[in-house]
Amino acid sequence: MSNGPIIETRELRKIYRVGKVDVPALRGVDLIVQAGEFLSIVGPSGSGKSTLFHIIGGLTPPTSGLVRVAGQDLASMTDAGRTRMRKRSVGFVFQKFNLLPNLTARHNIAVARFIAGNTGPLDGQFEEVLRLLGVAERLDHKPAALSGGEQQRIAIARAIVNHPAILLADEPTGNLDSENSKAVLEVLRGLNERLGQTILMITHNPEAAAYGHRTVNMRDGQIIW
Amino acid sequence: MTGRLILENIKHRPMRSLLSVMLMGVPVTLILALVGLTQGLLQDSQRRQQNTGADIIIRASTASGVVNFSGAPIPEKVVAKIEEQPHVKLAVGVLNHSIDPPLVVTGVDLPRFDRMSGGFVYKRGGPFKRPGDMLIDEAYAAQTHKTVGDTVTLLNHDWRVTGVIEAGKLARIAVQLSVLQDLDAATGHVGQIYVKVDDPANIDTVVQELNALETGYKINTLEEYVAMYTPSRISGVKEFTVVIMVIGVVIGFCVVCLSMYMSVLQRTREIGILKSLGATKGFILTIIEAEAMLLGVGGTVLGIVMSFGACWLVRTLVPASIPMIVVQSWWPTAGLITLLGAGLGALYPGLNAARQDPIEALSYE
């Protein structure tokens, strides 16, 4: 783990308006994640962990408060600014894998590189990552021809292909059996340990959370410990 | 990579893509069929005039359009008077009677016309000999399934086909001039006069001399007359073509708008994925527009192919009435019209897709 916060939130609040009713999703979240840290966030449904995930990932702006990711102040960013930030600074891994169904695994990864403006050949380190993920032989298959575990590992490969500052994983084992869950979690831990990849993982599963360096627990839009 | 995304999207939903291409091809076919029909009619008429062997044509002062379907306002004695003019080698008066536009029966003095044009080329049979005889060209023979010896009922009169002539000279249906004059109650009158001069160098001189007679008739060199056979000179054709082109744009717009709107709905989650990867609004709009354009190109190609089919069908069913052709020079125009419709049609769904909230899009089931 290296020094210096890569994610920092202070008094972070997010209020969704549903009809004429304001629904607070985050009620002043203070969080610091160090570069190279593997942090697990646990909490029940509606605790605000997904909202926190979306704000840190630049998918939605906060209502108020400070949020800095890799030195960038997301609270003051425009939509276009957050889009630029997502290209290079953040990689997402979702519960439902979210691979583009029309493209092969290789092209799913290539799309992420293309959008980020990388069009050259894959670097040697990433080839090594693909071997580490165990998907090097499955790159020319479309998602429908891959198992859930393989799809999630391709999604991880896609998330880190542009060497993002942080990897955000939202219930990455939620759709996997225990064997594949373990494999995916081992991969995440391996990326963290070998490459120093900062990882922020949301999970319901205490066993999965245990793969992180530390765990924070959220409830009612706040971090409770 | 953008190209692959677009191609894979099109391949991923083949039925939607095929239907879109087919629907976009329809206005292309409509436009090309209309243009092919108009230009086919004009080219056919031009060719039949050019092959008369005449150098000058004289029409009545009341002739308003280019194609004179009916009427016999010129006294036949004018033919003889014109023939007396210097440098005039031969003058032939003809009479046209419209039967089923654009088809006309042409009354002609066959020996004189043969001298001027070199004669009809007979595919079957030969010239008419009796007043009730008729010549028909190959196209009319094919359309009506008539041949030498058959009876054709036209102008409330039964005619015997004595010859099937090669198409492309003066008339599709020819009868004796005197017989048609009697039937039309136009004895001693003709509709137009073809004039052959002794030397092409004297054509302009003869035109000037004929104009000097102050007959009031319209006198043109055949070259001038044939040049008048353009769609713009035929009343309404230009406007009709514009209307069909506008319909083409509207159909293309509606088809693409509906197709891409459905496609964007189906791909909501995929759009969310692209946005989570950092795709800009411009990128999303570009892939939607480019996909529509590609479908438009497919529609244009299919529309062109279908226009060949339409042309074949028309020329098989009514080769004499509608000598349709395929006008290649209109392919780019038809293509641009389709692409314009496709581009406009994809704009709304494309902007919708570009504006989608990534979180909502990612949670779309």
Side-chain angles (χ1 to χ4, degrees), chain A residues 88-119:
Chain A
R88 291 188 170 276
S89 301
V90 185
F92 290 100
V93 176
F94 300 97
Q95 180 178 354
K96 291 182 179 174
F97 322 134
N98 281 345
L99 296 177
L100 294 166
N102 311 345
L103 301 182
T104 62
R106 185 185 304 282
H107 290 127
N108 263 281
I109 296 167
V111 163
R113 299 186 78 230
F114 178 78
I115 288 172
N118 299 324
T119 51

PDB file of all heavy atoms in Angstrom, chain A residues 88-119:
ATOM      1  N   ARG A  88     -10.140   7.340 -17.914  1.00  0.00           N
ATOM      2  CA  ARG A  88      -8.769   6.973 -17.538  1.00  0.00           C
ATOM      3  C   ARG A  88      -8.575   6.689 -16.059  1.00  0.00           C
ATOM      4  O   ARG A  88      -7.711   5.902 -15.699  1.00  0.00           O
ATOM      5  CB  ARG A  88      -7.810   8.100 -17.958  1.00  0.00           C
ATOM      6  CG  ARG A  88      -7.673   8.201 -19.467  1.00  0.00           C
ATOM      7  CD  ARG A  88      -6.591   9.182 -19.847  1.00  0.00           C
ATOM      8  NE  ARG A  88      -6.319   9.091 -21.263  1.00  0.00           N
ATOM      9  CZ  ARG A  88      -5.514   8.206 -21.812  1.00  0.00           C
ATOM     10  NH1 ARG A  88      -4.899   7.322 -21.062  1.00  0.00           N
ATOM     11  NH2 ARG A  88      -5.307   8.187 -23.120  1.00  0.00           N
ATOM     12  N   SER A  89      -9.369   7.351 -15.220  1.00  0.00           N
ATOM     13  CA  SER A  89      -9.081   7.256 -13.787  1.00  0.00           C
ATOM     14  C   SER A  89      -9.857   6.162 -13.071  1.00  0.00           C
ATOM     15  O   SER A  89      -9.515   5.793 -11.956  1.00  0.00           O
ATOM     16  CB  SER A  89      -9.378   8.604 -13.110  1.00  0.00           C
ATOM     17  OG  SER A  89      -8.582   9.606 -13.705  1.00  0.00           O
ATOM     18  N   VAL A  90     -10.953   5.679 -13.707  1.00  0.00           N
ATOM     19  CA  VAL A  90     -11.821   4.726 -13.014  1.00  0.00           C
ATOM     20  C   VAL A  90     -12.087   3.514 -13.904  1.00  0.00           C
ATOM     21  O   VAL A  90     -12.283   3.653 -15.107  1.00  0.00           O
ATOM     22  CB  VAL A  90     -13.180   5.387 -12.662  1.00  0.00           C
ATOM     23  CG1 VAL A  90     -14.037   4.430 -11.838  1.00  0.00           C
ATOM     24  CG2 VAL A  90     -12.983   6.677 -11.914  1.00  0.00           C
ATOM     25  N   GLY A  91     -12.093   2.354 -13.262  1.00  0.00           N
ATOM     26  CA  GLY A  91     -12.535   1.142 -13.958  1.00  0.00           C
ATOM     27  C   GLY A  91     -13.677   0.529 -13.174  1.00  0.00           C
ATOM     28  O   GLY A  91     -13.627   0.492 -11.939  1.00  0.00           O
ATOM     29  N   PHE A  92     -14.728   0.088 -13.890  1.00  0.00           N
ATOM     30  CA  PHE A  92     -15.898  -0.464 -13.210  1.00  0.00           C
ATOM     31  C   PHE A  92     -15.998  -1.976 -13.416  1.00  0.00           C
ATOM     32  O   PHE A  92     -15.774  -2.473 -14.532  1.00  0.00           O
ATOM     33  CB  PHE A  92     -17.181   0.149 -13.771  1.00  0.00           C
ATOM     34  CG  PHE A  92     -17.378   1.598 -13.428  1.00  0.00           C
ATOM     35  CD1 PHE A  92     -17.070   2.596 -14.337  1.00  0.00           C
ATOM     36  CD2 PHE A  92     -17.878   1.969 -12.188  1.00  0.00           C
ATOM     37  CE1 PHE A  92     -17.263   3.922 -14.028  1.00  0.00           C
ATOM     38  CE2 PHE A  92     -18.071   3.310 -11.864  1.00  0.00           C
ATOM     39  CZ  PHE A  92     -17.758   4.292 -12.787  1.00  0.00           C
ATOM     40  N   VAL A  93     -16.397  -2.641 -12.349  1.00  0.00           N
ATOM     41  CA  VAL A  93     -16.789  -4.053 -12.463  1.00  0.00           C
ATOM     42  C   VAL A  93     -18.169  -4.150 -11.815  1.00  0.00           C
ATOM     43  O   VAL A  93     -18.347  -3.695 -10.676  1.00  0.00           O
ATOM     44  CB  VAL A  93     -15.796  -4.987 -11.731  1.00  0.00           C
ATOM     45  CG1 VAL A  93     -16.285  -6.427 -11.783  1.00  0.00           C
ATOM     46  CG2 VAL A  93     -14.415  -4.887 -12.361  1.00  0.00           C
ATOM     47  N   PHE A  94     -19.114  -4.709 -12.567  1.00  0.00           N
ATOM     48  CA  PHE A  94     -20.495  -4.735 -12.084  1.00  0.00           C
ATOM     49  C   PHE A  94     -20.928  -6.161 -11.731  1.00  0.00           C
ATOM     50  O   PHE A  94     -20.362  -7.145 -12.227  1.00  0.00           O
ATOM     51  CB  PHE A  94     -21.441  -4.187 -13.159  1.00  0.00           C
ATOM     52  CG  PHE A  94     -21.143  -2.767 -13.555  1.00  0.00           C
ATOM     53  CD1 PHE A  94     -20.383  -2.486 -14.688  1.00  0.00           C
ATOM     54  CD2 PHE A  94     -21.624  -1.711 -12.809  1.00  0.00           C
ATOM     55  CE1 PHE A  94     -20.117  -1.183 -15.066  1.00  0.00           C
ATOM     56  CE2 PHE A  94     -21.361  -0.398 -13.180  1.00  0.00           C
ATOM     57  CZ  PHE A  94     -20.609  -0.134 -14.302  1.00  0.00           C
ATOM     58  N   GLN A  95     -21.986  -6.226 -10.962  1.00  0.00           N
ATOM     59  CA  GLN A  95     -22.529  -7.524 -10.583  1.00  0.00           C
ATOM     60  C   GLN A  95     -22.962  -8.329 -11.819  1.00  0.00           C
ATOM     61  O   GLN A  95     -22.747  -9.526 -11.896  1.00  0.00           O
ATOM     62  CB  GLN A  95     -23.732  -7.327  -9.652  1.00  0.00           C
ATOM     63  CG  GLN A  95     -24.369  -8.621  -9.199  1.00  0.00           C
ATOM     64  CD  GLN A  95     -25.530  -8.376  -8.227  1.00  0.00           C
ATOM     65  OE1 GLN A  95     -25.776  -7.259  -7.824  1.00  0.00           O
ATOM     66  NE2 GLN A  95     -26.201  -9.438  -7.853  1.00  0.00           N
ATOM     67  N   LYS A  96     -23.571  -7.617 -12.788  1.00  0.00           N
ATOM     68  CA  LYS A  96     -24.085  -8.317 -13.977  1.00  0.00           C
ATOM     69  C   LYS A  96     -23.073  -8.311 -15.122  1.00  0.00           C
ATOM     70  O   LYS A  96     -23.452  -8.423 -16.282  1.00  0.00           O
ATOM     71  CB  LYS A  96     -25.395  -7.678 -14.415  1.00  0.00           C
ATOM     72  CG  LYS A  96     -26.508  -7.937 -13.409  1.00  0.00           C
ATOM     73  CD  LYS A  96     -27.816  -7.348 -13.872  1.00  0.00           C
ATOM     74  CE  LYS A  96     -28.897  -7.655 -12.850  1.00  0.00           C
ATOM     75  NZ  LYS A  96     -30.156  -6.983 -13.190  1.00  0.00           N
ATOM     76  N   PHE A  97     -21.848  -8.147 -14.813  1.00  0.00           N
ATOM     77  CA  PHE A  97     -20.722  -8.219 -15.761  1.00  0.00           C
ATOM     78  C   PHE A  97     -20.710  -7.049 -16.757  1.00  0.00           C
ATOM     79  O   PHE A  97     -19.675  -6.453 -17.001  1.00  0.00           O
ATOM     80  CB  PHE A  97     -20.672  -9.548 -16.528  1.00  0.00           C
ATOM     81  CG  PHE A  97     -21.036 -10.756 -15.702  1.00  0.00           C
ATOM     82  CD1 PHE A  97     -21.904 -11.727 -16.181  1.00  0.00           C
ATOM     83  CD2 PHE A  97     -20.540 -10.928 -14.409  1.00  0.00           C
ATOM     84  CE1 PHE A  97     -22.246 -12.831 -15.423  1.00  0.00           C
ATOM     85  CE2 PHE A  97     -20.876 -12.031 -13.638  1.00  0.00           C
ATOM     86  CZ  PHE A  97     -21.738 -12.985 -14.140  1.00  0.00           C
ATOM     87  N   ASN A  98     -21.906  -6.813 -17.366  1.00  0.00           N
ATOM     88  CA  ASN A  98     -22.050  -5.687 -18.293  1.00  0.00           C
ATOM     89  C   ASN A  98     -21.025  -5.680 -19.418  1.00  0.00           C
ATOM     90  O   ASN A  98     -20.411  -4.652 -19.722  1.00  0.00           O
ATOM     91  CB  ASN A  98     -21.998  -4.360 -17.528  1.00  0.00           C
ATOM     92  CG  ASN A  98     -23.323  -4.052 -16.856  1.00  0.00           C
ATOM     93  OD1 ASN A  98     -24.337  -4.672 -17.182  1.00  0.00           O
ATOM     94  ND2 ASN A  98     -23.311  -3.145 -15.910  1.00  0.00           N
ATOM     95  N   LEU A  99     -20.866  -6.835 -20.034  1.00  0.00           N
ATOM     96  CA  LEU A  99     -20.074  -6.866 -21.270  1.00  0.00           C
ATOM     97  C   LEU A  99     -21.012  -6.561 -22.435  1.00  0.00           C
ATOM     98  O   LEU A  99     -22.212  -6.846 -22.364  1.00  0.00           O
ATOM     99  CB  LEU A  99     -19.454  -8.251 -21.462  1.00  0.00           C
ATOM    100  CG  LEU A  99     -18.447  -8.682 -20.395  1.00  0.00           C
ATOM    101  CD1 LEU A  99     -17.980 -10.106 -20.667  1.00  0.00           C
ATOM    102  CD2 LEU A  99     -17.254  -7.739 -20.360  1.00  0.00           C
ATOM    103  N   LEU A 100     -20.464  -5.984 -23.484  1.00  0.00           N
ATOM    104  CA  LEU A 100     -21.280  -5.715 -24.673  1.00  0.00           C
ATOM    105  C   LEU A 100     -21.532  -7.048 -25.378  1.00  0.00           C
ATOM    106  O   LEU A 100     -20.587  -7.724 -25.797  1.00  0.00           O
ATOM    107  CB  LEU A 100     -20.563  -4.732 -25.594  1.00  0.00           C
ATOM    108  CG  LEU A 100     -20.393  -3.325 -25.011  1.00  0.00           C
ATOM    109  CD1 LEU A 100     -19.400  -2.504 -25.819  1.00  0.00           C
ATOM    110  CD2 LEU A 100     -21.732  -2.614 -24.939  1.00  0.00           C
ATOM    111  N   PRO A 101     -22.791  -7.452 -25.502  1.00  0.00           N
ATOM    112  CA  PRO A 101     -23.091  -8.809 -25.970  1.00  0.00           C
ATOM    113  C   PRO A 101     -22.714  -9.077 -27.424  1.00  0.00           C
ATOM    114  O   PRO A 101     -22.506 -10.215 -27.815  1.00  0.00           O
ATOM    115  CB  PRO A 101     -24.610  -8.933 -25.774  1.00  0.00           C
ATOM    116  CG  PRO A 101     -25.109  -7.533 -25.769  1.00  0.00           C
ATOM    117  CD  PRO A 101     -24.020  -6.693 -25.203  1.00  0.00           C
ATOM    118  N   ASN A 102     -22.618  -8.002 -28.227  1.00  0.00           N
ATOM    119  CA  ASN A 102     -22.337  -8.193 -29.659  1.00  0.00           C
ATOM    120  C   ASN A 102     -20.857  -8.427 -29.937  1.00  0.00           C
ATOM    121  O   ASN A 102     -20.500  -8.861 -31.025  1.00  0.00           O
ATOM    122  CB  ASN A 102     -22.735  -6.952 -30.462  1.00  0.00           C
ATOM    123  CG  ASN A 102     -24.115  -6.470 -30.140  1.00  0.00           C
ATOM    124  OD1 ASN A 102     -24.888  -7.195 -29.540  1.00  0.00           O
ATOM    125  ND2 ASN A 102     -24.421  -5.261 -30.543  1.00  0.00           N
ATOM    126  N   LEU A 103     -20.022  -8.071 -28.975  1.00  0.00           N
ATOM    127  CA  LEU A 103     -18.573  -8.107 -29.220  1.00  0.00           C
ATOM    128  C   LEU A 103     -17.910  -9.275 -28.503  1.00  0.00           C
ATOM    129  O   LEU A 103     -18.375  -9.734 -27.455  1.00  0.00           O
ATOM    130  CB  LEU A 103     -17.934  -6.798 -28.741  1.00  0.00           C
ATOM    131  CG  LEU A 103     -18.428  -5.500 -29.379  1.00  0.00           C
ATOM    132  CD1 LEU A 103     -17.654  -4.316 -28.818  1.00  0.00           C
ATOM    133  CD2 LEU A 103     -18.277  -5.537 -30.894  1.00  0.00           C
ATOM    134  N   THR A 104     -16.821  -9.715 -29.059  1.00  0.00           N
ATOM    135  CA  THR A 104     -16.033 -10.757 -28.391  1.00  0.00           C
ATOM    136  C   THR A 104     -15.373 -10.152 -27.150  1.00  0.00           C
ATOM    137  O   THR A 104     -15.336  -8.922 -26.991  1.00  0.00           O
ATOM    138  CB  THR A 104     -14.918 -11.277 -29.316  1.00  0.00           C
ATOM    139  OG1 THR A 104     -14.051 -10.180 -29.618  1.00  0.00           O
ATOM    140  CG2 THR A 104     -15.475 -11.873 -30.597  1.00  0.00           C
ATOM    141  N   ALA A 105     -14.831 -11.035 -26.324  1.00  0.00           N
ATOM    142  CA  ALA A 105     -14.140 -10.567 -25.114  1.00  0.00           C
ATOM    143  C   ALA A 105     -13.006  -9.613 -25.501  1.00  0.00           C
ATOM    144  O   ALA A 105     -12.817  -8.550 -24.888  1.00  0.00           O
ATOM    145  CB  ALA A 105     -13.586 -11.773 -24.361  1.00  0.00           C
ATOM    146  N   ARG A 106     -12.262  -9.996 -26.531  1.00  0.00           N
ATOM    147  CA  ARG A 106     -11.140  -9.157 -26.978  1.00  0.00           C
ATOM    148  C   ARG A 106     -11.633  -7.759 -27.359  1.00  0.00           C
ATOM    149  O   ARG A 106     -11.029  -6.749 -26.996  1.00  0.00           O
ATOM    150  CB  ARG A 106     -10.463  -9.825 -28.188  1.00  0.00           C
ATOM    151  CG  ARG A 106      -9.220  -9.115 -28.675  1.00  0.00           C
ATOM    152  CD  ARG A 106      -8.690  -9.758 -29.947  1.00  0.00           C
ATOM    153  NE  ARG A 106      -8.417 -11.184 -29.794  1.00  0.00           N
ATOM    154  CZ  ARG A 106      -7.343 -11.695 -29.205  1.00  0.00           C
ATOM    155  NH1 ARG A 106      -6.429 -10.890 -28.709  1.00  0.00           N
ATOM    156  NH2 ARG A 106      -7.181 -12.998 -29.125  1.00  0.00           N
ATOM    157  N   HIS A 107     -12.748  -7.721 -28.085  1.00  0.00           N
ATOM    158  CA  HIS A 107     -13.246  -6.423 -28.539  1.00  0.00           C
ATOM    159  C   HIS A 107     -13.915  -5.637 -27.415  1.00  0.00           C
ATOM    160  O   HIS A 107     -13.950  -4.405 -27.468  1.00  0.00           O
ATOM    161  CB  HIS A 107     -14.183  -6.606 -29.732  1.00  0.00           C
ATOM    162  CG  HIS A 107     -13.451  -7.036 -30.973  1.00  0.00           C
ATOM    163  ND1 HIS A 107     -13.804  -8.138 -31.709  1.00  0.00           N
ATOM    164  CD2 HIS A 107     -12.341  -6.529 -31.565  1.00  0.00           C
ATOM    165  CE1 HIS A 107     -12.954  -8.284 -32.707  1.00  0.00           C
ATOM    166  NE2 HIS A 107     -12.053  -7.328 -32.642  1.00  0.00           N
ATOM    167  N   ASN A 108     -14.444  -6.343 -26.421  1.00  0.00           N
ATOM    168  CA  ASN A 108     -14.958  -5.629 -25.252  1.00  0.00           C
ATOM    169  C   ASN A 108     -13.831  -4.866 -24.563  1.00  0.00           C
ATOM    170  O   ASN A 108     -14.010  -3.728 -24.115  1.00  0.00           O
ATOM    171  CB  ASN A 108     -15.595  -6.612 -24.269  1.00  0.00           C
ATOM    172  CG  ASN A 108     -17.110  -6.692 -24.428  1.00  0.00           C
ATOM    173  OD1 ASN A 108     -17.821  -5.820 -23.953  1.00  0.00           O
ATOM    174  ND2 ASN A 108     -17.591  -7.722 -25.117  1.00  0.00           N
ATOM    175  N   ILE A 109     -12.686  -5.512 -24.499  1.00  0.00           N
ATOM    176  CA  ILE A 109     -11.522  -4.851 -23.892  1.00  0.00           C
ATOM    177  C   ILE A 109     -11.032  -3.725 -24.809  1.00  0.00           C
ATOM    178  O   ILE A 109     -10.709  -2.623 -24.358  1.00  0.00           O
ATOM    179  CB  ILE A 109     -10.403  -5.884 -23.630  1.00  0.00           C
ATOM    180  CG1 ILE A 109     -10.881  -6.905 -22.593  1.00  0.00           C
ATOM    181  CG2 ILE A 109      -9.118  -5.198 -23.169  1.00  0.00           C
ATOM    182  CD1 ILE A 109     -10.001  -8.136 -22.468  1.00  0.00           C
ATOM    183  N   ALA A 110     -11.048  -4.013 -26.113  1.00  0.00           N
ATOM    184  CA  ALA A 110     -10.557  -3.022 -27.078  1.00  0.00           C
ATOM    185  C   ALA A 110     -11.422  -1.759 -27.074  1.00  0.00           C
ATOM    186  O   ALA A 110     -10.916  -0.653 -27.268  1.00  0.00           O
ATOM    187  CB  ALA A 110     -10.516  -3.632 -28.476  1.00  0.00           C
ATOM    188  N   VAL A 111     -12.740  -1.925 -26.861  1.00  0.00           N
ATOM    189  CA  VAL A 111     -13.631  -0.759 -26.837  1.00  0.00           C
ATOM    190  C   VAL A 111     -13.224   0.195 -25.726  1.00  0.00           C
ATOM    191  O   VAL A 111     -13.174   1.418 -25.923  1.00  0.00           O
ATOM    192  CB  VAL A 111     -15.101  -1.209 -26.649  1.00  0.00           C
ATOM    193  CG1 VAL A 111     -15.976  -0.046 -26.198  1.00  0.00           C
ATOM    194  CG2 VAL A 111     -15.661  -1.757 -27.938  1.00  0.00           C
ATOM    195  N   ALA A 112     -12.921  -0.382 -24.557  1.00  0.00           N
ATOM    196  CA  ALA A 112     -12.524   0.464 -23.420  1.00  0.00           C
ATOM    197  C   ALA A 112     -11.240   1.225 -23.754  1.00  0.00           C
ATOM    198  O   ALA A 112     -11.100   2.418 -23.427  1.00  0.00           O
ATOM    199  CB  ALA A 112     -12.318  -0.397 -22.188  1.00  0.00           C
ATOM    200  N   ARG A 113     -10.305   0.554 -24.421  1.00  0.00           N
ATOM    201  CA  ARG A 113      -9.051   1.215 -24.806  1.00  0.00           C
ATOM    202  C   ARG A 113      -9.332   2.294 -25.846  1.00  0.00           C
ATOM    203  O   ARG A 113      -8.775   3.391 -25.791  1.00  0.00           O
ATOM    204  CB  ARG A 113      -8.058   0.190 -25.381  1.00  0.00           C
ATOM    205  CG  ARG A 113      -7.666  -0.889 -24.410  1.00  0.00           C
ATOM    206  CD  ARG A 113      -6.577  -1.762 -24.986  1.00  0.00           C
ATOM    207  NE  ARG A 113      -5.285  -1.105 -24.907  1.00  0.00           N
ATOM    208  CZ  ARG A 113      -4.437  -0.972 -25.903  1.00  0.00           C
ATOM    209  NH1 ARG A 113      -4.715  -1.479 -27.078  1.00  0.00           N
ATOM    210  NH2 ARG A 113      -3.287  -0.369 -25.746  1.00  0.00           N
ATOM    211  N   PHE A 114     -10.190   1.958 -26.801  1.00  0.00           N
ATOM    212  CA  PHE A 114     -10.496   2.905 -27.878  1.00  0.00           C
ATOM    213  C   PHE A 114     -11.133   4.183 -27.317  1.00  0.00           C
ATOM    214  O   PHE A 114     -10.759   5.295 -27.689  1.00  0.00           O
ATOM    215  CB  PHE A 114     -11.439   2.239 -28.884  1.00  0.00           C
ATOM    216  CG  PHE A 114     -11.868   3.141 -30.006  1.00  0.00           C
ATOM    217  CD1 PHE A 114     -11.026   3.398 -31.070  1.00  0.00           C
ATOM    218  CD2 PHE A 114     -13.116   3.761 -29.979  1.00  0.00           C
ATOM    219  CE1 PHE A 114     -11.419   4.246 -32.095  1.00  0.00           C
ATOM    220  CE2 PHE A 114     -13.510   4.607 -30.993  1.00  0.00           C
ATOM    221  CZ  PHE A 114     -12.663   4.845 -32.055  1.00  0.00           C
ATOM    222  N   ILE A 115     -12.094   3.991 -26.404  1.00  0.00           N
ATOM    223  CA  ILE A 115     -12.779   5.155 -25.831  1.00  0.00           C
ATOM    224  C   ILE A 115     -11.791   6.018 -25.048  1.00  0.00           C
ATOM    225  O   ILE A 115     -11.874   7.252 -25.054  1.00  0.00           O
ATOM    226  CB  ILE A 115     -13.960   4.694 -24.948  1.00  0.00           C
ATOM    227  CG1 ILE A 115     -15.088   4.162 -25.853  1.00  0.00           C
ATOM    228  CG2 ILE A 115     -14.496   5.830 -24.070  1.00  0.00           C
ATOM    229  CD1 ILE A 115     -16.231   3.503 -25.114  1.00  0.00           C
ATOM    230  N   ALA A 116     -10.818   5.359 -24.423  1.00  0.00           N
ATOM    231  CA  ALA A 116      -9.818   6.116 -23.661  1.00  0.00           C
ATOM    232  C   ALA A 116      -8.730   6.711 -24.552  1.00  0.00           C
ATOM    233  O   ALA A 116      -7.832   7.406 -24.067  1.00  0.00           O
ATOM    234  CB  ALA A 116      -9.180   5.210 -22.614  1.00  0.00           C
ATOM    235  N   GLY A 117      -8.801   6.410 -25.836  1.00  0.00           N
ATOM    236  CA  GLY A 117      -7.839   6.981 -26.779  1.00  0.00           C
ATOM    237  C   GLY A 117      -6.589   6.145 -26.969  1.00  0.00           C
ATOM    238  O   GLY A 117      -5.617   6.605 -27.573  1.00  0.00           O
ATOM    239  N   ASN A 118      -6.615   4.895 -26.466  1.00  0.00           N
ATOM    240  CA  ASN A 118      -5.465   3.996 -26.668  1.00  0.00           C
ATOM    241  C   ASN A 118      -5.761   3.077 -27.846  1.00  0.00           C
ATOM    242  O   ASN A 118      -6.665   2.250 -27.771  1.00  0.00           O
ATOM    243  CB  ASN A 118      -5.227   3.125 -25.424  1.00  0.00           C
ATOM    244  CG  ASN A 118      -4.920   3.966 -24.208  1.00  0.00           C
ATOM    245  OD1 ASN A 118      -4.265   5.001 -24.321  1.00  0.00           O
ATOM    246  ND2 ASN A 118      -5.397   3.536 -23.062  1.00  0.00           N
ATOM    247  N   THR A 119      -5.003   3.216 -28.899  1.00  0.00           N
ATOM    248  CA  THR A 119      -5.273   2.395 -30.075  1.00  0.00           C
ATOM    249  C   THR A 119      -4.106   1.479 -30.434  1.00  0.00           C
ATOM    250  O   THR A 119      -4.218   0.660 -31.338  1.00  0.00           O
ATOM    251  CB  THR A 119      -5.594   3.277 -31.297  1.00  0.00           C
ATOM    252  OG1 THR A 119      -4.558   4.246 -31.429  1.00  0.00           O
ATOM    253  CG2 THR A 119      -6.933   3.970 -31.129  1.00  0.00           C
TER     254      THR A 119
END
